Amino acid sequence: MAIAHQARQVEFGFLRTTLQLTAGNLGQHLTVLEKAELIQIEKGYEGRRPRTWVTLTAAGRAALRDEIAHLKQLIQQVEQAETPPDAEG
């Protein structure tokens, strides 16, 4: 979703290569995100070649913002945690 956020649309092949996933594995992930209405999938042609484009929905953008906020909070908690005392005592 972060990659799709950076561009208006992202092509399936680019995602597959960038994420180093098989087409089947990526397809399954995208199906889950599409059913959750976090992305929109558009199929078409570029010249004679079939293409699939992925776009974040408004709900997808909101979900990504929430996830990033939670990750930042978690990172802050980890950074603020006290280091355990040295066991060598």
Side-chain angles (χ1 to χ4, degrees), residues 45-87:
Y45 287 87
E46 188 173 278
R48 293 182 179 212
R49 302 183 119 195
R51 297 284 187 218
T52 300
W53 293 276
V54 178
T55 308
L56 276 182
T57 63
R61 286 188 296 277
L64 181 60
R65 277 192 305 272
D66 289 347
E67 184 67 20
I68 290 170
H70 283 89
L71 289 170
K72 285 180 179 179
Q73 186 178 37
L74 179 61
I75 290 167
Q76 184 179 21
Q77 289 172 356
V78 169
E79 288 175 341
Q80 291 177 352
E82 289 184 9
T83 305
D86 194 8

Side-chain angles (χ1 to χ4, degrees), residues 20-59:
Q20 299 179 356
L21 296 171
T22 64
N25 194 319
L26 178 57
Q28 288 179 350
H29 286 288
L30 293 178
T31 297
V32 169
L33 293 171
E34 184 181 36
K35 285 181 181 178
E37 298 182 351
L38 299 176
I39 63 167
Q40 180 180 3
I41 296 176
E42 182 181 333
K43 295 185 182 241
Y45 287 87
E46 188 173 278
R48 293 182 179 212
R49 302 183 119 195
R51 297 284 187 218
T52 300
W53 293 276
V54 178
T55 308
L56 276 182
T57 63

